[in-house]
Amino acid sequence: MPTRRWIYGVLFGFTGLSCGSPTPPWGPPDPRLQPLTMGSQWTYSVTDTTVNPPVTTMKTNTIAGTDVLNGSPVIVWETTNTAGTRTVELIAAVSNAIARFRDSNYAGAAYTGRVEYLPYRLRVPIVLGTAGAQLTESFTEESYDAAGARVASTAKSYDWTLENPDAVVT
């Protein structure tokens, strides 16, 4: 089972839910870190060390707007990278987390398919508050091709561990 390790500052940076959504129940947003307000944008340098030599791409995230999914409002989170791919995620606050519901994938301008997460996949677990706190998430990943045919259904589970709740992110 893969393990995801996050620092506290990044966890709580995702809570800046605006785009018409109320302030989440776990506290006020920190607008410095990945604010979920329309037009917010941030860029990462991402290195894939599983290949030799390692490959680095620039990954730009943009809060592109809002939409409705199954009658509920969601935030549209768009990620592009220098490899020419683009992913459009539909996310929203649920309980004590920011959750992903659907990813639509593109290669250049061409739509290549979508992934749906049932009931959802964590984008950020907000419930972890102390160093060493852990959370396990389980979901089903449904993959569809560009024509809309389901090509895979996979049960997944991830462990999350909060490494450093006092880290300062600049």
Side-chain angles (χ1 to χ4, degrees), residues 7-8 45 91 99 140:
I7 57 176
Y8 185 78
S45 172
I91 66 171
T140 300

Side-chain angles (χ1 to χ4, degrees), residues 25-116:
W26 51 81
D30 181 345
R32 297 172 300 138
L33 306 169
Q34 301 181 331
L36 299 182
T37 55
M38 178 66 172
S40 293
Q41 188 174 77
W42 54 97
T43 301
Y44 297 102
S45 172
V46 179
T47 302
D48 181 354
T49 59
T50 64
V51 295
N52 191 12
V55 175
T56 299
T57 59
M58 298 304 288
K59 194 175 195 180
T60 300
N61 297 281
T62 304
I63 302 304
T66 59
D67 203 344
V68 175
L69 178 65
N70 300 326
S72 297
V74 292
I75 294 171
V76 179
W77 174 313
E78 185 172 307
T79 301
T80 58
N81 67 43
T82 51
T85 63
R86 179 170 61 106
T87 301
V88 178
E89 296 178 28
L90 300 181
I91 66 171
V94 294
S95 186
N96 288 325
I98 304 299
R100 289 167 75 171
F101 294 95
R102 179 186 297 160
D103 295 351
S104 296
N105 301 303
Y106 300 83
Y111 174 70
T112 59
R114 74 180 189 278
V115 178
E116 295 182 2

